Amino acid sequence: MQSLFVYNQQMDIKNLQRENIKNLRPYSTARDEYKGEAKVYLDANENSFGSPLPENFNRYPDPLQLDLKDAISKIKGVPIEHTFLGNGSDEAIDLLFRAFCNPGKDNVIILPPTYGMYEVSANINDVEIRKVNLLPNFQLDLEGIAEAIDENTKLIFICSPNNPTGNSIVRTDVETVLANFKGLVVIDEAYINFAKQRTFIQELTEYPHLVVLQTFSKAWGLAGLRLGMAFASTTVIDIMNKVKAPYNISQSTQDLALEALKNIDQVNEWIKLTVAQREKLSADLLALPLVKKVYPSDANFILAEVEDAAGTYHVLVDQGIIIRDRSKVILCEGCLRITVGTPQENDILLTALKALKKN
């Protein structure tokens, strides 16, 4: 295995970035040039008279979101200089392509079935995608990954717990990739709060090429805010900050996220309820004659193989019950992905599925 990963062994993070990014002089905002509080702000061409809203939205937000990062660091245990905040995790994914992948030259490895935005971002940025399908048990094909790597492979995306399959990736397999591939290894932990497996954030000091993505959209219940997190070495974070838009996180998002972070006990209670409902819903689904298999899940959703997945999906849609038809996704043939709802929502779904079988 060691020899198969040979190509990127000697790369360091600064050399991984695109040449034009190395030489890029980032846009300097007015607030980058002055830190602290002042009596009069006449530096950013804002509306000095105020805002039609009750809050002071006439001022530009902190471009580096330092107060919010400080609050996050107290929960995550990651220093703010190792933290990037984006407009959802999707912004962080896109920036990794823009900063580290030369269009038309470099390539990235994705591991289907997986989150679709890795491929979309690669296509937008004209970066070659190399697909190494997961094994039938939804785990890494280490030999396949090793064979796909060449001198232009810059990123490997590993989603764990994986979307849409719901399982966590075996930790020792991820560590094998980290130990042998010297491009960036991006571990997407959007669903980590629902899993027993511990986060890879704790490994940041050991692997300077590790990037861990997390989000406020799932367990924190803030999908509408569009706030994602990336944790990495200071070198990677500095490069991402250099490439990002100057004020990529609005003041309202920063304020609301800071308020949400005060309610961690409520979030933890929701996580417990979700996991309990996940186990109950899995058992209830498996008891239905039309359900062939329910895959184990470490996320807030369930992948279930059913008879006539497309037909079942459309019947549920007609009743106003919306799930995801994943039956055309590789290794997910005949499968539906079902988000764990409230007890009432889950009961409505089960009732509809039971009635469907009678028809």
Side-chain angles (χ1 to χ4, degrees):
M1 177 60 63
Q2 180 78 21
S3 62
L4 294 174
F5 280 95
V6 70
Y7 286 107
N8 282 327
Q9 285 283 21
Q10 302 305 317
M11 287 189 176
D12 63 36
I13 302 302
K14 289 184 178 179
N15 286 334
L16 279 174
Q17 65 184 312
R18 289 164 49 178
E19 198 64 33
N20 66 307
I21 301 301
K22 287 182 187 178
N23 301 320
L24 176 68
R25 177 177 294 181
Y27 179 81
S28 178
T29 73
R31 299 296 133 83
D32 285 325
E33 297 167 1
Y34 174 81
K35 304 298 181 184
E37 293 294 325
K39 291 187 294 184
V40 178
Y41 284 105
L42 300 175
D43 58 344
N45 301 336
E46 301 149 328
N47 185 335
S48 300
F49 294 95
S51 161
L53 299 174
E55 295 83 0
N56 293 323
F57 287 125
N58 60 314
R59 300 300 181 187
Y60 284 108
D62 176 2
L64 291 176
Q65 312 96 30
L66 295 179
D67 288 343
L68 179 53
K69 286 178 180 176
D70 183 61
I72 291 170
S73 73
K74 291 179 170 61
I75 295 174
K76 301 290 185 180
V78 181
I80 60 176
E81 60 267 25
H82 291 270
T83 304
F84 174 86
L85 298 182
N87 184 359
S89 298
D90 295 338
E91 181 183 6
I93 292 168
D94 181 64
L95 286 177
L96 290 170
F97 280 102
R98 290 165 57 194
F100 293 98
C101 297
N102 290 287
K105 176 184 177 184
D106 292 331
N107 66 77
V108 302
I109 293 174
I110 65 172
L111 313 170
T114 192
Y115 180 45
M117 277 305 297
Y118 313 141
E119 182 170 358
V120 171
S121 288
N123 287 332
I124 290 171
N125 288 282
D126 191 22
V127 174
E128 179 192 351
I129 305 158
R130 297 190 174 180
K131 297 181 180 181
V132 180
N133 292 343
L134 296 177
L135 298 171
N137 63 352
F138 302 144
Q139 294 300 329
L140 301 186
D141 178 359
L142 291 176
E143 292 293 334
I145 293 171
E147 291 170 4
I149 293 169
D150 66 15
E151 66 274 10
N152 294 320
T153 305
K154 291 294 188 69
L155 308 172
I156 297 177
F157 286 93
I158 302 174
C159 190
S160 182
N162 188 44
N163 177 13
T165 59
N167 63 294
S168 293
I169 302 300
V170 172
R171 193 175 191 88
T172 52
D173 287 352
V174 179
E175 290 170 346
T176 296
V177 177
L178 281 165
N180 292 284
F181 175 65
K182 299 308 177 186
L184 294 186
V185 179
V186 185
I187 303 178
D188 190 341
E189 294 185 341
Y191 301 95
I192 194 66
N193 298 87
F194 306 103
K196 293 180 181 178
Q197 187 178 95
R198 71 184 188 276
T199 173
F200 268 90
I201 283 177
Q202 298 151 346
E203 313 300 327
L204 287 172
T205 54
E206 185 173 350
Y207 301 108
H209 60 309
L210 168 63
V211 181
V212 178
L213 304 179
Q214 292 188 6
T215 183
F216 282 90
S217 294
K218 310 302 179 184
W220 282 90
L222 296 174
L225 281 193
R226 306 307 302 127
L227 184 61
M229 298 166 278
F231 304 100
S233 67
T234 56
T235 303
V236 171
I237 297 300
D238 288 347
I239 293 169
M240 294 177 73
N241 282 332
K242 183 164 66 169
V243 176
K244 78 174 184 69
Y247 302 107
N248 62 321
I249 306 296
S250 72
Q251 189 62 57
S252 57
T253 295
Q254 294 185 45
D255 291 346
L256 290 168
L258 276 168
E259 196 63 29
L261 289 172
K262 299 175 184 176
N263 296 293
I264 190 169
D265 290 340
Q266 175 67 79
V267 172
N268 286 334
E269 180 62 25
W270 283 331
I271 292 170
K272 291 178 183 177
L273 289 170
T274 300
V275 170
Q277 283 297 308
R278 181 185 72 198
E279 303 313 309
K280 182 180 185 303
L281 181 58
S282 294
D284 290 342
L285 287 169
L286 197 55
L288 298 176
L290 64 86
V291 176
K292 296 180 178 180
K293 183 173 184 177
V294 174
Y295 290 92
S297 176
D298 285 333
N300 68 336
F301 60 84
I302 296 165
L303 188 71
E305 183 182 355
V306 302
E307 296 178 3
D308 188 15
T312 301
Y313 168 79
H314 288 295
V315 169
L316 291 175
V317 168
D318 289 341
Q319 299 180 50
I321 302 170
I322 313 301
I323 57 176
R324 290 297 300 274
D325 180 3
R326 304 282 79 186
S327 61
K328 295 182 180 179
V329 174
I330 188 75
L331 297 179
C332 297
E333 292 81 3
C335 289
L336 301 173
R337 195 194 72 189
I338 303 168
T339 302
V340 177
T342 64
Q344 295 79 11
E345 290 171 331
N346 295 337
D347 286 343
I348 291 171
L349 169 70
L350 290 165
T351 298
L353 291 174
K354 291 173 184 176
L356 177 65
K357 185 57 181 176
K358 292 176 183 178
N359 294 333

